[in-house]
């Protein structure tokens, strides 16, 4: 495929102010896409939008806290107004983690994570999908995690939110696959981003960083998976092997091993 195969497509990328989202926005814009950059940190989005303005695609800033119940409809409306038409690609990337033994974690923090990682994905998808089906054109790309494939002790709720994203993606894929709309769920392992700077991960940041992929690599593979209309895609061969291996052992065994890997050192 040519580098320009997103030319003039209108794309929403949530969580575009850092990490995988910023890399995805750069990747789509380099291929000619026009990208609505969504996150809370407006100044970062503005810097990225001005960077993109020198290339084949453009970026428009849509400041939003996606945990707010009415944000999804407003984000889509502002994105369509800023980009001048209906959305062709929705990228559900914004997400946060929460590390630590479940009984000691803050319920408020966990519920904010659940709202962002799950509700915002559902609300945004619900806002754009009917139009995509009507036009028989469009794609939903959601970023889950390898945490979606098995329970994740010490990140129990985070893993469950990502299992939700994977299950939801597969469910709607089967509904829309003959209606001209694609659905891709990308499940990265550790990625070198600001993700580990918050959510209680700070003590384990070094361990995750040692095996982390770059956000640019993950974004490039995610765009490749979308172009190929892959349904579920795991970047990196070690992550692919891990995702397959866990299928061959009982869930309790897999969960105990995962708990040893993820537990405090
Ligand atoms: N890093 C990893 O190891 C890894 C592995 C597997 C999957 N993932 C997934 O990849 C996705 C991207 O994470 P990342 O690694 O790139 O982390 P990141 O660098 O921390 O980026 C997270 C993005 O989400 C946005 N965000 C956070 N809270 C938000 C809110 N309430 N409303 C709107 N936007 C919000 C942040 O922007 P603002 O703070 O400006 O709002 C930021 O742009 C997440 O879904 C994560 O679960 C990450």
């Amino acid at each position: 495929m040519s580098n320009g195969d997103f030319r003039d497509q209108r794309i929403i990328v949530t969580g575009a102010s850092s990490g995988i989202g910023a890399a995805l926005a750069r990747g789509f814009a380099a291929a000619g896409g026009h990208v609505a950059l969504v996150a809370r940190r407006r100044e970062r989005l503005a810097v990225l939008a001005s960077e993109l303005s020198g290339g084949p695609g453009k970026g428009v800033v849509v400041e939003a806290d996606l945990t707010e119940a009415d944000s999804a409809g407003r984000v889509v409306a502002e994105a369509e107004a800023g980009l001048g038409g209906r959305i062709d690609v929705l990228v559900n990337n914004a997400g946060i983690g929460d590390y630590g033994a479940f009984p000691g974690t803050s319920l408020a923090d966990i519920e904010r994570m659940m709202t962002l990682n799950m509700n915002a994905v559902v609300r945004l998808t619900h806002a754009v999908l009917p139009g995509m089906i009507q036009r028989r054109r469009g794609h939903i790309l959601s970023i889950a995690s390898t945490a979606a494939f098995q329970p994740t002790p010490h990140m129990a709720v985070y893993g469950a939110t990502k299992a939700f994203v994977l299950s939801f993606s597969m469910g709607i894929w089967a509904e829309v696959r003959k209606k001209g709309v694609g659905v891709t769920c990308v499940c990265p392992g550790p990625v070198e981003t600001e993700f580990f700077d918050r959510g209680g991960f700070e003590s384990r940041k070094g361990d995750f960083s040692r095996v982390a992929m770059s956000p640019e690599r993950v974004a490039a593979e995610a765009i490749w998976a979308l172009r190929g209309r892959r349904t579920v895609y795991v970047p990196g061969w070690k992550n692919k092997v891990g995702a397959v291996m866990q299928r061959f052992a009982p869930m309790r065994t897999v969960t105990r091993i995962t708990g040893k890997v993820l537990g405090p050192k």
Side-chain angles (χ1 to χ4, degrees), residues 47-231:
V47 170
L48 181 55
S50 97
E51 175 195 318
L52 300 184
S53 68
K58 69 171 178 182
V60 299
V61 173
V62 179
E63 180 185 343
D65 182 341
L66 291 170
T67 62
E68 289 172 3
D70 61 351
S71 59
R74 181 177 66 75
V75 163
V76 173
E78 279 187 31
E80 292 187 337
L83 301 177
R86 307 297 296 274
I87 298 304
D88 298 300
V89 180
L90 167 66
V91 183
N92 289 307
N93 165 76
I96 51 175
D98 194 84
Y99 181 77
F102 174 71
T105 49
S106 143
L107 199 54
D109 288 350
I110 281 176
E111 288 187 347
R112 192 175 314 111
M113 173 177 69
M114 291 168 69
T115 304
L116 179 65
N117 293 10
M118 300 188 291
N119 296 23
V121 171
V122 172
R123 290 169 183 156
L124 285 163
T125 305
H126 194 262
V128 299
L129 203 50
M132 290 180 175
I133 292 169
Q134 199 178 27
R135 297 188 300 282
R136 295 192 66 83
R137 170 193 164 98
H139 208 109
I140 310 289
L141 169 66
S142 296
I143 308 299
S145 166
T146 48
F149 296 120
Q150 70 290 300
T152 52
H154 309 283
M155 303 164 51
V157 181
Y158 174 74
T161 69
K162 292 302 179 177
F164 175 93
V165 173
L166 176 59
S167 174
F168 171 64
S169 300
M170 292 296 290
I172 57 168
W173 164 77
E175 289 184 29
V176 302
R177 70 194 185 92
K178 292 191 177 149
K179 297 181 176 170
V181 181
V183 179
T184 298
C185 184
V186 170
C187 300
V191 188
E192 192 67 54
T193 68
E194 295 171 21
F195 183 84
F196 297 114
D197 295 341
R198 47 192 167 195
F201 283 103
E202 298 82 350
S203 63
R204 297 297 309 274
K205 188 177 177 182
D207 302 313
F208 288 116
S209 291
R210 264 192 287 285
V211 292
M213 292 174 70
S214 75
E216 291 75 22
R217 171 90 192 279
V218 170
E221 292 199 24
I223 291 172
W224 176 86
L226 186 161
R227 282 176 168 138
R229 296 179 87 78
R230 303 285 287 263
T231 319

